[in-house]
Amino acid sequence: MAGIYIHIPFCKQACHYCDFHFSTSLKKKEEMLQSLKQELVLRKEELHNEVVETIYFGGGTPSILEVGEINDLIQAVYNLFSVSDNPEITLEANPDDLDYTTIHKLAESKVNRLSIGIQSFVEEDLKMMNRAHNSSEAISCLEEAVKHFDNISIDLIYGIPNMSNERWLANVQRILDLGIPHISCYALTVEERTALNKLIKKGVIPSPKEEVAHNHFMLLIETLRRNGYIHYELSNFAKPGYYSKNNSAYWLGKKYLGIGPSAHSFDGVHRSWNIANNPLYIKDIQSGKLPLEIEELSLSDRYNEYIMTGLRTIWGVDVNRVHRDFGQDFYDYLIQESTHFIADGLMHREGDVLTITDKGKFLSDGIASDLFWLDLK
């Protein structure tokens, strides 16, 4: 099984915290859509006839497209690849794009999962982040979406400056009241090349505090667990049967094909990524050239990726798999280096599987990096 990711590199406006690749100009939209379909043609042999289990529209803001344009891209995948009988087809969307008519059209399409970027239901937070929607749009779009889609995921951001524990829990409760089965939650992070970083440096917005984010994170885990959600990946919570098949495939090391500017692909041994420039991407695709760079992952690279992704999930890291796939030295190193994390209550070993404990979850990336194998040459 494999997945196809399609990057739609357009947004109405730039969120202050975002450093993903996108453009706020739609002048080249038609050329881009043709190029996305042409890249699918150029790369149709790369999955080696594996069945496509997931199609994921990310961005950018995929919901900026017309539903007919989304349908055309889905049909292009069906024309070129072997697709499973019941694929998960996800569309990332913003509330301001999901009016009554659009939701109804999407419900009639092959899209069967919505990932909606709410981020917060508080007007003050939305303005600070420069989101394109307001609080009432967020609520109204969800109230309509749940009537037509069973499989919905919501993005929320915690650790926002001036966000109290009460405000954060009110955001979470709003999702619970609507019965949304999947929630993705991320701490507000300050990336170097963003408007948020500039505003913080100018003193316009206070810097996020790690202690606040940690408190929000622990409250989130406790609240969602109490309400029947499974914390199946560091930033993701779902009711049983609603795990994201697309994201789970990434974490479990399955193959995926990334289409569009800045999109990444993985075939088990090689990782590739497309150029993050819309005009150059279109120019190369139109000339029949793939605008990508390819990296062959070394044994230590593959081990480090397995450690990083495995420790973020409930499936953890299987020490027997480490021994089988990477060898005795990697196995011995992992066992030795994980010992003190287990003793400190940050990791847990049950049988042959290492996982991160609740105490260690907020430190997960740092723990994983301490378990990386470094090639010192």
Side-chain angles (χ1 to χ4, degrees):
M1 293 292 189
I4 292 180
Y5 170 86
I6 301 176
H7 187 82
I8 306 301
F10 301 114
C11 289
K12 288 180 181 176
Q13 62 189 51
C15 298
H16 284 161
Y17 57 84
C18 182
D19 70 341
F20 291 163
H21 172 67
F22 66 91
S23 170
T24 54
S25 170
L26 293 175
K27 290 180 180 178
K28 292 185 177 293
K29 187 183 76 166
E30 294 304 321
E31 290 178 273
M32 178 61 68
L33 293 175
Q34 291 304 315
S35 295
L36 294 174
K37 286 185 270 191
Q38 183 59 26
E39 187 184 357
L40 285 167
V41 172
L42 293 172
R43 305 183 71 179
K44 64 181 180 179
E45 305 300 331
E46 288 190 31
L47 293 182
H48 306 292
N49 295 318
E50 290 203 35
V51 175
V52 172
E53 188 179 26
T54 63
I55 303 170
Y56 191 99
F57 289 88
T61 309
S63 58
I64 205 169
L65 300 182
E66 299 293 331
V67 175
E69 294 167 337
I70 295 165
N71 287 337
D72 285 346
L73 289 167
I74 294 173
Q75 190 58 52
V77 173
Y78 271 80
N79 291 343
L80 295 164
F81 298 88
S82 175
V83 181
S84 68
D85 292 337
N86 186 30
E88 177 189 88
I89 303 181
T90 302
L91 178 77
E92 287 186 356
N94 279 349
D96 46 298
D97 295 324
L98 294 180
D99 58 21
Y100 177 89
T101 301
T102 301
I103 290 172
H104 278 249
K105 288 182 179 179
L106 285 170
E108 294 171 352
S109 74
K110 283 187 167 66
V111 173
N112 52 28
R113 184 174 184 269
L114 296 179
S115 177
I116 306 175
I118 298 294
Q119 316 310 356
S120 176
F121 290 99
V122 180
E123 207 67 46
E124 179 184 339
D125 298 338
L126 296 172
K127 288 179 180 178
M128 186 278 289
M129 293 185 283
N130 199 41
R131 295 291 291 166
H133 70 275
N134 58 41
S135 180
S136 63
E137 286 175 321
I139 295 167
S140 63
C141 93
L142 287 178
E143 289 175 343
E144 188 63 30
V146 296
K147 298 175 185 176
H148 305 278
F149 285 86
D150 172 61
N151 199 349
I152 297 176
S153 178
I154 296 301
D155 284 1
L156 290 178
I157 292 179
Y158 59 87
I160 296 172
N162 302 319
M163 176 185 274
S164 64
N165 290 344
E166 291 73 22
R167 183 191 289 182
W168 169 237
L169 287 175
N171 271 336
V172 176
Q173 188 59 50
R174 178 79 72 171
I175 299 298
L176 297 176
D177 292 343
L178 287 162
I180 304 298
H182 189 283
I183 305 175
S184 298
C185 296
Y186 306 94
L188 181 67
T189 55
V190 184
E191 304 294 345
E192 185 67 28
R193 297 166 58 186
T194 61
L196 178 61
N197 186 49
K198 294 176 182 176
L199 291 169
I200 288 173
K201 286 182 176 180
K202 291 178 180 179
V204 177
I205 296 175
S207 181
K209 292 182 171 59
E210 186 172 319
E211 180 182 354
V212 172
H214 180 262
N215 289 339
H216 290 173
F217 184 64
M218 299 311 293
L219 286 169
L220 175 72
I221 293 173
E222 177 187 342
T223 303
L224 293 185
R225 183 175 290 158
R226 192 168 62 242
N227 284 274
Y229 289 79
I230 300 167
H231 191 187
Y232 74 105
E233 193 273 341
L234 188 63
S235 302
N236 289 271
F237 304 77
K239 289 290 184 71
Y242 288 93
Y243 295 176
S244 166
K245 292 180 181 179
N246 175 80
N247 292 348
S248 296
Y250 296 157
W251 303 320
L252 294 173
K254 294 185 180 181
K255 297 177 182 179
Y256 57 89
L257 188 62
I259 302 297
S262 82
H264 285 233
S265 303
F266 177 66
D267 68 1
V269 178
H270 302 90
R271 189 172 300 287
S272 64
W273 54 95
N274 284 342
I275 189 171
N277 181 297
N278 289 2
L280 292 180
Y281 168 82
I282 292 169
K283 180 182 177 182
D284 281 354
I285 291 294
Q286 287 178 342
S287 66
K289 174 185 174 184
L290 290 174
L292 54 76
E293 293 185 51
I294 302 175
E295 173 190 21
E296 181 172 352
L297 300 178
S298 67
L299 189 65
S300 59
D301 289 334
R302 298 201 300 275
Y303 164 83
N304 291 344
E305 288 208 3
Y306 176 55
I307 296 298
M308 174 61 79
T309 55
L311 288 181
R312 292 181 64 93
T313 72
I314 58 172
W315 302 292
V317 169
D318 185 334
V319 296
N320 284 337
R321 176 180 168 182
V322 171
H323 189 272
R324 181 187 72 243
D325 292 353
F326 306 107
Q328 187 70 44
D329 288 345
F330 286 88
Y331 172 86
D332 291 342
Y333 178 77
L334 174 61
I335 298 301
Q336 176 185 328
E337 295 301 313
S338 62
T339 301
H340 73 278
F341 290 120
I342 295 172
D344 291 340
L346 301 174
M347 290 182 68
H348 173 70
R349 178 170 177 174
E350 183 172 351
D352 297 318
V353 178
L354 291 167
T355 55
I356 298 287
T357 64
D358 281 353
K359 180 181 176 182
K361 281 178 178 175
F362 197 71
L363 307 170
S364 176
D365 288 349
I367 294 170
S369 66
D370 284 347
L371 299 177
F372 284 175
W373 180 281
L374 302 178
D375 287 322
L376 302 177
K377 296 180 182 179

